[in-house]
mmCIF file of all heavy atoms in Angstrom:
data_model
loop_
_atom_site.group_PDB
_atom_site.id
_atom_site.type_symbol
_atom_site.label_atom_id
_atom_site.label_comp_id
_atom_site.label_asym_id
_atom_site.label_seq_id
_atom_site.Cartn_x
_atom_site.Cartn_y
_atom_site.Cartn_z
ATOM 1 N N SER A 1 27.138 38.626 34.316
ATOM 2 C CA SER A 1 28.290 37.729 34.662
ATOM 3 C C SER A 1 28.781 38.013 36.088
ATOM 4 O O SER A 1 28.443 39.073 36.698
ATOM 5 C CB SER A 1 29.409 37.915 33.667
ATOM 6 O OG SER A 1 29.901 39.219 33.705
ATOM 7 N N SER A 2 29.572 37.120 36.579
ATOM 8 C CA SER A 2 30.072 37.300 37.971
ATOM 9 C C SER A 2 30.933 38.561 38.062
ATOM 10 O O SER A 2 30.923 39.245 39.082
ATOM 11 C CB SER A 2 30.864 36.053 38.456
ATOM 12 O OG SER A 2 31.938 35.828 37.597
ATOM 13 N N SER A 3 31.676 38.891 36.995
ATOM 14 C CA SER A 3 32.434 40.098 37.002
ATOM 15 C C SER A 3 31.677 41.379 36.869
ATOM 16 O O SER A 3 32.178 42.451 37.132
ATOM 17 C CB SER A 3 33.504 40.029 35.842
ATOM 18 O OG SER A 3 32.814 40.095 34.594
ATOM 19 N N GLY A 4 30.450 41.245 36.357
ATOM 20 C CA GLY A 4 29.580 42.386 36.080
ATOM 21 C C GLY A 4 29.834 43.020 34.759
ATOM 22 O O GLY A 4 29.174 43.950 34.360
ATOM 23 N N VAL A 5 30.868 42.481 34.052
ATOM 24 C CA VAL A 5 31.282 43.095 32.783
ATOM 25 C C VAL A 5 30.248 42.784 31.642
ATOM 26 O O VAL A 5 29.963 43.626 30.814
ATOM 27 C CB VAL A 5 32.673 42.585 32.343
ATOM 28 C CG1 VAL A 5 32.964 42.989 30.924
ATOM 29 C CG2 VAL A 5 33.719 43.162 33.272
ATOM 30 N N SER A 6 29.710 41.544 31.700
ATOM 31 C CA SER A 6 28.835 41.152 30.592
ATOM 32 C C SER A 6 27.366 41.000 31.067
ATOM 33 O O SER A 6 27.099 40.524 32.161
ATOM 34 C CB SER A 6 29.312 39.784 30.080
ATOM 35 O OG SER A 6 30.589 39.829 29.521
ATOM 36 N N THR A 7 26.484 41.460 30.183
ATOM 37 C CA THR A 7 25.061 41.268 30.407
ATOM 38 C C THR A 7 24.410 40.753 29.127
ATOM 39 O O THR A 7 24.900 40.997 28.067
ATOM 40 C CB THR A 7 24.407 42.626 30.800
ATOM 41 O OG1 THR A 7 24.645 43.583 29.753
ATOM 42 C CG2 THR A 7 24.981 43.180 32.121
ATOM 43 N N GLU A 8 23.333 40.020 29.318
ATOM 44 C CA GLU A 8 22.566 39.486 28.187
ATOM 45 C C GLU A 8 21.097 39.703 28.440
ATOM 46 O O GLU A 8 20.654 39.733 29.574
ATOM 47 C CB GLU A 8 22.843 38.012 27.979
ATOM 48 C CG GLU A 8 24.331 37.664 27.666
ATOM 49 C CD GLU A 8 24.705 38.107 26.255
ATOM 50 O OE1 GLU A 8 23.829 38.218 25.433
ATOM 51 O OE2 GLU A 8 25.949 38.280 26.072
ATOM 52 N N TYR A 9 20.356 39.875 27.338
ATOM 53 C CA TYR A 9 18.915 40.117 27.434
ATOM 54 C C TYR A 9 18.185 39.264 26.387
ATOM 55 O O TYR A 9 18.645 39.048 25.254
ATOM 56 C CB TYR A 9 18.609 41.587 27.176
ATOM 57 C CG TYR A 9 19.268 42.529 28.184
ATOM 58 C CD1 TYR A 9 20.496 43.060 27.945
ATOM 59 C CD2 TYR A 9 18.619 42.829 29.358
ATOM 60 C CE1 TYR A 9 21.095 43.907 28.882
ATOM 61 C CE2 TYR A 9 19.167 43.667 30.323
ATOM 62 C CZ TYR A 9 20.411 44.202 30.057
ATOM 63 O OH TYR A 9 21.007 45.072 30.979
ATOM 64 N N ALA A 10 16.977 38.883 26.763
ATOM 65 C CA ALA A 10 16.107 38.271 25.794
ATOM 66 C C ALA A 10 15.624 39.370 24.810
ATOM 67 O O ALA A 10 15.582 40.530 25.164
ATOM 68 C CB ALA A 10 14.848 37.687 26.529
ATOM 69 N N ASP A 11 15.384 38.982 23.564
ATOM 70 C CA ASP A 11 15.015 39.946 22.544
ATOM 71 C C ASP A 11 13.789 40.780 22.968
ATOM 72 O O ASP A 11 13.623 41.923 22.630
ATOM 73 C CB ASP A 11 14.759 39.247 21.223
ATOM 74 C CG ASP A 11 15.990 38.762 20.558
ATOM 75 O OD1 ASP A 11 17.125 39.220 20.980
ATOM 76 O OD2 ASP A 11 15.940 37.899 19.670
ATOM 77 N N SER A 12 12.813 40.112 23.700
ATOM 78 C CA SER A 12 11.581 40.717 24.032
ATOM 79 C C SER A 12 11.779 41.888 25.017
ATOM 80 O O SER A 12 10.883 42.701 25.197
ATOM 81 C CB SER A 12 10.636 39.741 24.657
ATOM 82 O OG SER A 12 11.218 39.071 25.790
ATOM 83 N N VAL A 13 12.939 41.989 25.696
ATOM 84 C CA VAL A 13 13.080 43.027 26.737
ATOM 85 C C VAL A 13 14.267 43.959 26.366
ATOM 86 O O VAL A 13 14.479 44.941 27.090
ATOM 87 C CB VAL A 13 13.295 42.459 28.135
ATOM 88 C CG1 VAL A 13 12.162 41.526 28.465
ATOM 89 C CG2 VAL A 13 14.637 41.771 28.251
ATOM 90 N N LYS A 14 15.036 43.684 25.325
ATOM 91 C CA LYS A 14 16.145 44.513 24.990
ATOM 92 C C LYS A 14 15.728 45.968 24.792
ATOM 93 O O LYS A 14 14.712 46.262 24.127
ATOM 94 C CB LYS A 14 16.799 44.029 23.702
ATOM 95 C CG LYS A 14 17.776 42.845 23.894
ATOM 96 C CD LYS A 14 18.433 42.438 22.595
ATOM 97 C CE LYS A 14 19.329 41.258 22.838
ATOM 98 N NZ LYS A 14 19.912 40.725 21.541
ATOM 99 N N GLY A 15 16.503 46.876 25.334
ATOM 100 C CA GLY A 15 16.191 48.287 25.237
ATOM 101 C C GLY A 15 15.214 48.790 26.265
ATOM 102 O O GLY A 15 15.020 50.019 26.388
ATOM 103 N N ARG A 16 14.564 47.827 26.967
ATOM 104 C CA ARG A 16 13.582 48.271 28.029
ATOM 105 C C ARG A 16 14.085 47.881 29.455
ATOM 106 O O ARG A 16 13.793 48.593 30.397
ATOM 107 C CB ARG A 16 12.230 47.597 27.748
ATOM 108 C CG ARG A 16 11.640 47.996 26.395
ATOM 109 C CD ARG A 16 10.221 47.465 26.273
ATOM 110 N NE ARG A 16 10.121 46.040 26.355
ATOM 111 C CZ ARG A 16 9.364 45.326 27.249
ATOM 112 N NH1 ARG A 16 8.698 46.032 28.177
ATOM 113 N NH2 ARG A 16 9.367 44.046 27.219
ATOM 114 N N PHE A 17 14.726 46.782 29.529
ATOM 115 C CA PHE A 17 15.199 46.277 30.868
ATOM 116 C C PHE A 17 16.755 46.484 30.944
ATOM 117 O O PHE A 17 17.450 46.323 29.956
ATOM 118 C CB PHE A 17 14.872 44.798 31.028
ATOM 119 C CG PHE A 17 13.440 44.476 31.153
ATOM 120 C CD1 PHE A 17 12.430 45.397 30.951
ATOM 121 C CD2 PHE A 17 13.018 43.186 31.528
ATOM 122 C CE1 PHE A 17 11.078 45.112 31.088
ATOM 123 C CE2 PHE A 17 11.698 42.873 31.686
ATOM 124 C CZ PHE A 17 10.723 43.793 31.422
ATOM 125 N N THR A 18 17.153 46.754 32.204
ATOM 126 C CA THR A 18 18.586 46.855 32.468
ATOM 127 C C THR A 18 18.936 46.103 33.712
ATOM 128 O O THR A 18 18.292 46.323 34.777
ATOM 129 C CB THR A 18 19.033 48.330 32.588
ATOM 130 O OG1 THR A 18 18.676 49.056 31.439
ATOM 131 C CG2 THR A 18 20.521 48.436 32.866
ATOM 132 N N ILE A 19 19.923 45.199 33.609
ATOM 133 C CA ILE A 19 20.389 44.453 34.794
ATOM 134 C C ILE A 19 21.657 45.049 35.334
ATOM 135 O O ILE A 19 22.510 45.542 34.514
ATOM 136 C CB ILE A 19 20.579 42.967 34.407
ATOM 137 C CG1 ILE A 19 20.771 42.113 35.689
ATOM 138 C CG2 ILE A 19 21.705 42.793 33.458
ATOM 139 C CD1 ILE A 19 20.731 40.578 35.400
ATOM 140 N N SER A 20 21.849 45.068 36.655
ATOM 141 C CA SER A 20 23.067 45.537 37.243
ATOM 142 C C SER A 20 23.276 44.783 38.566
ATOM 143 O O SER A 20 22.357 44.123 39.085
ATOM 144 C CB SER A 20 22.972 47.039 37.544
ATOM 145 O OG SER A 20 21.914 47.323 38.391
ATOM 146 N N ARG A 21 24.490 44.864 39.053
ATOM 147 C CA ARG A 21 24.804 44.228 40.364
ATOM 148 C C ARG A 21 25.621 45.151 41.208
ATOM 149 O O ARG A 21 26.462 45.914 40.725
ATOM 150 C CB ARG A 21 25.510 42.885 40.116
ATOM 151 C CG ARG A 21 26.850 42.929 39.549
ATOM 152 C CD ARG A 21 27.341 41.477 39.164
ATOM 153 N NE ARG A 21 27.478 40.626 40.355
ATOM 154 C CZ ARG A 21 27.449 39.304 40.340
ATOM 155 N NH1 ARG A 21 27.284 38.635 39.184
ATOM 156 N NH2 ARG A 21 27.600 38.580 41.482
ATOM 157 N N ASP A 22 25.448 45.007 42.548
ATOM 158 C CA ASP A 22 26.247 45.692 43.514
ATOM 159 C C ASP A 22 26.804 44.671 44.460
ATOM 160 O O ASP A 22 26.116 44.138 45.350
ATOM 161 C CB ASP A 22 25.316 46.685 44.311
ATOM 162 C CG ASP A 22 26.113 47.527 45.288
ATOM 163 O OD1 ASP A 22 27.230 47.143 45.627
ATOM 164 O OD2 ASP A 22 25.574 48.558 45.687
ATOM 165 N N ASN A 23 28.059 44.302 44.198
ATOM 166 C CA ASN A 23 28.650 43.188 45.015
ATOM 167 C C ASN A 23 28.839 43.568 46.509
ATOM 168 O O ASN A 23 28.827 42.697 47.317
ATOM 169 C CB ASN A 23 29.981 42.802 44.416
ATOM 170 C CG ASN A 23 29.857 41.970 43.146
ATOM 171 O OD1 ASN A 23 28.731 41.571 42.826
ATOM 172 N ND2 ASN A 23 30.936 41.720 42.502
ATOM 173 N N ALA A 24 28.986 44.859 46.761
ATOM 174 C CA ALA A 24 29.093 45.300 48.133
ATOM 175 C C ALA A 24 27.814 45.033 48.922
ATOM 176 O O ALA A 24 27.837 44.822 50.137
ATOM 177 C CB ALA A 24 29.435 46.801 48.219
ATOM 178 N N LYS A 25 26.671 45.007 48.239
ATOM 179 C CA LYS A 25 25.365 44.781 48.826
ATOM 180 C C LYS A 25 24.831 43.383 48.572
ATOM 181 O O LYS A 25 23.711 43.093 48.977
ATOM 182 C CB LYS A 25 24.396 45.821 48.384
ATOM 183 C CG LYS A 25 24.696 47.240 48.858
ATOM 184 C CD LYS A 25 23.651 48.240 48.379
ATOM 185 C CE LYS A 25 23.975 49.675 48.865
ATOM 186 N NZ LYS A 25 22.889 50.607 48.475
ATOM 187 N N ASN A 26 25.599 42.606 47.804
ATOM 188 C CA ASN A 26 25.137 41.231 47.456
ATOM 189 C C ASN A 26 23.756 41.304 46.795
ATOM 190 O O ASN A 26 22.908 40.496 47.078
ATOM 191 C CB ASN A 26 25.067 40.291 48.683
ATOM 192 C CG ASN A 26 26.447 39.805 49.094
ATOM 193 O OD1 ASN A 26 27.503 40.235 48.559
ATOM 194 N ND2 ASN A 26 26.508 38.889 50.068
#
């Protein structure tokens, strides 16, 4: 999400993939 608070994953990648964002670096 734009706030970075919420993340969602497809079932096929849950537990293996992690998404994150760094707004200072866009």
